[in-house]
């Protein structure tokens, strides 16, 4: 039954913890902190921030959510419904909470939306192949 829990709740929780100031006194400003800086051969400097890592983590989670959607089981419908609730939580928070009105949160919300749509689409396509007509 643990497979029914949507993994996209993790980026939502991490962003909310950052917004509450548990990762630093700056609130969501902690997400703009530079983690890595590399000089490229072109002379440009590539910078990775905490928010970039959070987005990268969310994309990895999206991959595993799409993999979970390919499995047919008793928890798949519950997973889809809970993923929809996570997306709704993202959307409501984006519209109503001042600290969530950032580009990072919008990208996380978009990833959650792709999780919902992709999960339903993959499940419907794989369920259609499981139906036999008795020939």
């Amino acid at each position: 039954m643990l497979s029914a829990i949507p993994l996209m709740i993790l980026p939502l929780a991490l962003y909310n913890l950052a917004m509450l100031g548990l990762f630093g006194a700056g609130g969501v400003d902690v997400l703009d902190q530079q983690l890595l800086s590399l000089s490229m051969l072109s002379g440009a400097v590539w910078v990775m921030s905490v928010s970039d890592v959070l987005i990268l983590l969310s994309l990895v989670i999206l991959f595993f959510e799409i993999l979970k959607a390919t499995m047919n089981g008793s928890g798949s419908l519950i997973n889809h419904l809970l993923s929809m609730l996570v997306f709704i939580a993202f959307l409501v928070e984006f519209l109503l909470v001042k600290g969530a009105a950032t580009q990072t949160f919008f990208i996380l919300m978009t990833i959650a939306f792709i999780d919902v749509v992709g999960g339903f689409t993959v499940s419907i396509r794989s369920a259609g192949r499981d139906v036999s007509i008795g020939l």
Side-chain angles (χ1 to χ4, degrees):
M1 201 60 165
L2 283 175
S3 65
I5 297 173
L7 299 176
M8 282 304 295
I9 201 161
L10 182 63
L12 179 65
L14 289 174
Y15 191 93
N16 283 321
L17 290 175
M19 200 166 42
L20 291 172
L22 295 178
F23 296 137
V28 291
D29 293 335
V30 75
L31 296 174
D32 293 331
Q33 286 182 354
Q34 179 178 329
L35 286 179
L36 180 66
S37 175
L38 294 174
S39 296
M40 307 306 277
L41 292 176
S42 65
V45 177
W46 178 66
V47 177
M48 181 175 262
S49 66
V50 176
S51 64
D52 297 331
V53 172
L54 185 59
I55 291 170
L56 185 62
L57 172 72
S58 298
L59 288 172
V60 171
I61 287 172
L62 176 64
F63 171 74
F64 286 110
E65 283 289 331
I66 297 297
L67 281 180
K68 280 179 20 179
T70 62
M71 297 181 220
N72 291 332
S74 61
S76 65
L77 182 60
I78 295 170
N79 183 1
H80 296 319
L81 293 175
L82 292 176
S83 292
M84 178 66 82
L85 289 177
V86 169
F87 169 69
I88 291 170
F90 267 109
L91 183 62
V92 168
E93 193 168 336
F94 180 71
L95 295 173
L96 299 179
V97 178
K98 187 176 183 179
T102 64
Q103 294 86 350
T104 302
F105 195 82
F106 179 78
I107 292 170
L108 295 176
M109 181 179 67
T110 304
I111 293 170
F113 178 71
I114 292 170
D115 173 31
V116 170
V117 172
F120 278 120
T121 304
V122 168
S123 291
I124 289 170
R125 296 284 293 187
S126 64
R129 292 188 178 129
D130 288 343
V131 175
S132 63
I133 55 174
L135 294 177

